[in-house]
Amino acid sequence: MDSQTSQSSPAPEPPRTFQVDLRGLVDLLSHHLYSSPKVYLRELLQNAVDAVTARRAVEPGAPARVRLYPDGADGADGAALRVEDSGIGLTESDVHELLATIGRSSKRAEGLQEARSDFLGQFGIGLLACFVVAERIRVVSRSARTPQAPPVEWTARDDGSYTVRTLPDEARPEPGTTVHLVARAGAAEWLAPERVLSLARDFGSLLPYDVRVGEEEVTDLPAPWDRPYASPANRRVALARHCQGLFGFTPLDSIDLSVPVAGIRGVAYVLPSAVSPAQRAGHRVHLKGMLLTERAEQLLPDWAFFVRCVLDTDSLRPTASREALYEDETLAAVRDALGERIRSWLTGLAAGDPERLEAFLSVHHLGVKSLARHDPEMLRTMLPWLPFETTDGRLSLEEFAQRHRVVHFTRTVEEYRQVAPIASAQGIGVINGGYTYDSELVEALPSVRPGTVVAELDADTVTAHLDAVDPAEELALAGFLAAARATLDPLGCDVVLRAFHPLSVPALHLDDRAARHEQARAQAEAQADDLWAGILGSLRGSAPRSRLVLNHLNPLVRRISSLPEPELIGTATESLYGQALLMAQRPLRPADSALLNRAFIGLLEWATHGEEGR
C-alpha cells in the first residue's frame, strides 16, 4: 500500500526564486523605511567608514580618508556626487556576490568577521538606499586584500539592471572605493554642495576618521564633552554654546552622561523653561560617531523630561532603518545608568550647590517630584528643597513639617481652595496636594521622616475645628435655619451654623469627592434617557451631601438671620450659597447657575420693591 501511495504521489517541484521589483523596493524605502531622503548620505558615509574600519583591521597603518565631491566628474549628466574612501575595496567576485544581491553585506564576508563589532551598519541595505535620490549608481573599487586584481566597475539603474566590468589599473591606482551618483528627476537639491556639506556635518561630525566635503572638514573631534577645559566655568560656557547651536536654547546647566562601562559618552542639557511631563523630548544619539537619530525618546527614564541629551554609544542596537534604537535589555540598562547619572547630579547640587539647585527646582520641580515618588532616598534628599503650595506660603515639606504637628493635605485643588482660608484662620496648616504628584509625596512623608503625622483634610475635619454656636442662640434661630435648609435641600446641601474667623467670610461651602461624585451622577441621571436614568438611579445610595457653613460672627449673616419673611430668607440663603461657590472657585452645575440668576433677580426685586414702599 505504501508503494502504491508512493507511485501516485506527484514529484516535488524544484524550489523557486523570489523576483524583486527594484522600483517597488525603492518606493518602499523612500516612503516607509526611511523618514527622509537625506539618509542616503548617511548610508554612503557609513559604507565608507565601515570599509576603512575593515581595512584597518588587517592593515592598522592604512590611510583613513573619506572624501565627498558634489557636482563632480559626472555633472554633465545632471546633479551628481562622488564619494571616495581608502577602505578595504572589492574584487570582481565581491561585486557580483555583494552589490548585486539585495540583503547581502560585505560585513559578512569571510576574513572580516574580526572587525564586525566595529562596523556601523548591520543590515546590508547600503547602496540600495541611494536609489532614493539617484537614478544611477556607479561604483569603482579596488581590493586591498588582492591588490594585484584590477579595479572593477559596477553600474546599476533603478529599474534593477546592472553591468560589471574590469578597468585598467589607472582607473583606481590605490585600494578603496569610489561611488558616483546621478540625481533622479526632482532630487537634485539633495546632491547640491551646500546640502551635502550640511548633511555630512550633521551625520558625521563625531566620526573617527578624516572626512571632508571637498576641502571642508566634516569631523569635529574631540566631542565637546570630551575636550579639556581650563576650568569648570569654561566648560559650562563651551557646552552652553554647543547646546545653543545644536538645540537652539541656552541650558540652565549641563550634566555629564559618560558611562564608560556601558560604552556611553555624552551630555544632558537642562531645559531653561518648564515642560509638560507628557512632552517627549527627542535626544540625539550617535552610533560609533555616526548620527543615528535626533528623536530618541526611550533613552532616558520618563521622569527625566527636563533635559535634552546628545551622546555617542558603542553598545546600543539600531533598528533596521538605523533611525531609532532597538528596545532590548541593553537599552534598558543604559536608561537606568543615565538616570543614575542625572540622579547623582541632583544629589550633588543638594549637597554642595544649593543656589543652583534652587534655580533648577524653580523651573523643574515637577520632574524631581516624579522621580521622588519612586525613590525614597531622593525624596529624603529633596525634603528641604521641593516646593509645595501651603496655607503658610510656598514651603518645602521639611519646613512645613517642622511648623505643624500634623501635616494636613487635600487631594484636589478644589478642596484646598474651599478649606485653606478657614483652616489657616483656625491655625490648621494645609498642603495643596491637588497638583501632579504632590499628594503621593505628602503621604510618603512618614516613610522618610519618621514620627511625622500626615492626615487628609476633609469637610468633616474642617467643620469639627470650627466653634459651635451657643445652643440657646442657635435655638433662637431655628426658624431661620429651617427656611435656609428647605431652600438648599433640593441641591443636596445641608446648612450648618458655626462661629469662625475670618469674620469677613459669611459662608463656607464644603463637600468631599463622594459628594461631588453623587452630584455628577444626579446631573447625568437628569440628562439621560429612560434606560440610562434607570441604571444611574440604581447607583443612588445614602448619598453624601455638601454643606453650607454659615458664619455666626459675620454681620451680614446676623442681619439675614433676623429677617422675618421666609421667602426673603430663601433668596438671601441662595445668594450666600452662590457667593460661597464662587469664592471656592468651584465649577458651577446648571442648577447652581440657575440658582445664582434666581437669587440675583430676587434681590433686585426686593430692593426695588423696598424703594417703591418708601
Side-chain angles (χ1 to χ4, degrees):
M1 183 171 182
D2 289 342
S3 61
Q4 292 176 355
T5 303
S6 174
Q7 291 174 359
S8 62
S9 299
E13 290 188 5
R16 300 178 183 272
T17 303
F18 282 106
Q19 301 299 310
V20 177
D21 178 0
L22 189 57
R23 287 189 188 274
L25 190 56
V26 169
D27 180 72
L28 178 67
L29 287 172
S30 59
H31 293 100
H32 301 285
L33 182 61
Y34 295 127
S35 62
S36 165
K38 70 180 182 180
V39 296
Y40 89 92
L41 193 69
R42 185 196 63 201
E43 297 293 337
L44 287 174
L45 281 176
Q46 182 169 285
N47 285 344
V49 170
D50 284 346
V52 171
T53 300
R55 184 175 179 187
R56 283 205 153 188
V58 294
E59 298 180 48
R65 297 188 308 270
V66 179
R67 297 289 185 269
L68 297 90
Y69 300 103
D71 290 327
D74 293 327
D77 295 328
L81 173 66
R82 185 173 86 253
V83 181
E84 299 180 355
D85 68 64
S86 58
I88 193 71
L90 301 170
T91 64
E92 183 176 358
S93 60
D94 290 336
V95 167
H96 281 290
E97 181 182 0
L98 303 173
L99 295 187
T101 305
I102 295 173
R104 186 74 58 84
S105 172
S106 62
K107 299 152 187 104
R108 298 181 177 85
E110 186 178 354
L112 298 183
Q113 288 293 340
E114 64 273 14
R116 178 72 188 270
S117 63
D118 293 326
F119 290 141
L120 300 172
Q122 299 287 328
F123 297 91
I125 296 173
L127 286 175
L128 192 61
C130 293
F131 281 123
V132 173
V133 297
E135 64 179 15
R136 179 162 62 89
I137 302 173
R138 177 170 166 258
V139 177
V140 177
S141 188
R142 185 164 197 157
S143 173
R145 287 174 291 160
T146 55
Q148 70 278 8
V152 60
E153 178 191 71
W154 175 82
T155 304
R157 294 185 175 276
D158 62 1
D159 61 2
S161 63
Y162 71 92
T163 60
V164 179
R165 61 173 179 158
T166 57
L167 299 176
D169 285 350
E170 56 268 23
R172 179 81 204 193
E174 299 295 328
T177 300
T178 302
V179 179
H180 304 262
L181 302 184
V182 177
R184 65 170 57 253
E189 62 173 299
W190 294 104
L191 274 62
E194 59 277 4
R195 177 62 67 90
V196 170
L197 178 59
S198 173
L199 292 178
R201 283 179 170 164
D202 198 35
F203 284 120
S205 63
L206 300 183
L207 289 173
Y209 303 136
D210 178 15
V211 182
R212 298 171 186 256
V213 175
E215 297 303 317
E216 295 281 346
E217 291 187 7
V218 168
T219 51
D220 185 20
L221 296 175
W225 51 85
D226 286 335
R227 294 172 190 168
Y229 295 100
S231 68
N234 287 351
R235 175 184 171 83
R236 281 197 293 271
V237 170
L239 290 179
R241 191 180 303 118
H242 174 247
C243 178
Q244 181 66 50
L246 202 61
F247 294 123
F249 65 85
T250 300
L252 281 179
D253 209 341
S254 58
I255 307 169
D256 179 28
L257 292 184
S258 296
V259 187
V261 69
I264 300 291
R265 303 159 300 279
V267 62
Y269 293 116
V270 181
L271 293 165
S273 55
V275 293
S276 166
Q279 180 177 329
R280 310 310 301 168
H283 307 292
R284 287 177 65 94
V285 178
H286 297 254
L287 179 61
K288 299 181 178 72
M290 182 74 74
L291 179 66
L292 180 72
T293 178
E294 301 173 274
R295 300 183 301 276
E297 295 182 354
Q298 71 274 47
L299 188 65
L300 297 181
D302 289 342
W303 55 261
F305 53 82
F306 51 83
V307 299
R308 295 279 301 278
C309 71
V310 53
L311 56 81
D312 188 20
T313 174
D314 299 331
S315 59
L316 298 179
R317 290 175 56 196
T319 58
S321 67
R322 292 194 288 279
E323 294 188 279
L325 295 171
Y326 188 81
E327 183 69 53
D328 58 10
E329 292 181 358
T330 302
L331 179 57
V334 165
R335 183 161 50 234
D336 290 342
L338 296 180
E340 184 57 39
R341 294 292 298 164
I342 299 174
R343 184 185 288 106
S344 298
W345 171 77
L346 285 168
T347 304
L349 289 186
D353 201 339
E355 289 186 3
R356 283 171 67 197
L357 179 61
E358 284 195 52
F360 166 76
L361 289 177
S362 67
V363 179
H364 295 300
H365 57 273
L366 202 57
V368 181
K369 286 180 177 180
S370 175
L371 168 60
R373 285 185 307 154
H374 307 295
D375 188 335
E377 191 56 41
M378 180 56 63
L379 177 56
R380 185 179 292 107
T381 300
M382 290 294 153
L383 278 181
W385 306 103
L386 285 176
F388 287 76
E389 182 182 357
T390 79
T391 49
D392 294 351
R394 200 162 181 79
L395 297 177
S396 69
L397 281 181
E398 178 64 32
E399 188 173 357
F400 187 85
Q402 289 174 358
R403 293 186 182 189
H404 298 278
R405 184 179 60 83
V406 178
V407 177
H408 287 102
F409 74 100
T410 64
R411 291 193 182 275
T412 69
V413 175
E414 264 183 8
E415 292 169 342
Y416 180 80
R417 288 170 177 165
Q418 287 178 35
V419 304
I422 309 304
S424 180
Q426 313 308 310
I428 306 172
V430 185
I431 295 176
N432 184 355
Y435 296 116
T436 308
Y437 312 131
D438 282 8
S439 61
E440 296 175 69
L441 295 176
V442 174
E443 288 183 296
L445 190 53
S447 67
V448 297
R449 194 178 187 275
T452 303
V453 178
V454 172
E456 182 177 353
L457 191 66
D458 55 20
D460 290 333
T461 304
V462 175
T463 305
H465 278 81
L466 304 180
D467 293 334
V469 177
D470 180 86
E473 292 187 52
E474 186 166 2
L475 183 60
L477 298 175
F480 160 72
L481 292 174
R485 287 166 182 155
T487 299
L488 298 185
D489 183 68
L491 297 172
C493 182
D494 294 328
V495 176
V496 179
L497 188 65
R498 292 289 188 273
F500 56 87
H501 292 272
L503 301 180
S504 57
V505 177
L508 175 65
H509 182 270
L510 295 177
D511 64 6
D512 53 26
R513 286 181 300 282
R516 285 195 295 277
H517 175 74
E518 174 59 24
Q519 290 172 354
R521 187 208 58 77
Q523 182 178 342
E525 181 181 351
Q527 297 173 350
D529 56 28
D530 291 342
L531 173 61
W532 281 108
I535 294 173
L536 292 169
S538 68
L539 300 177
R540 187 191 306 116
S542 55
R545 295 166 65 88
S546 62
R547 68 197 65 173
L548 183 69
V549 184
L550 300 178
N551 187 359
H552 187 54
L553 302 180
N554 179 264
L556 177 60
V557 172
R558 284 181 172 273
R559 288 196 296 272
I560 292 174
S561 65
S562 64
L563 291 172
E565 302 142 11
E567 184 178 348
L568 187 54
I569 290 175
T571 300
T573 301
E574 289 180 335
S575 301
L576 290 174
Y577 174 85
Q579 189 264 352
L581 287 180
L582 295 175
M583 288 297 292
Q585 301 183 46
R586 285 283 312 281
L588 300 180
R589 299 170 295 166
D592 297 330
S593 299
L595 175 144
L596 281 171
N597 183 63
R598 184 170 63 249
F600 179 71
I601 296 298
L603 290 176
L604 283 179
E605 289 178 348
W606 177 78
T608 54
H609 177 73
E611 286 294 328
E612 290 173 1
R614 286 194 289 272

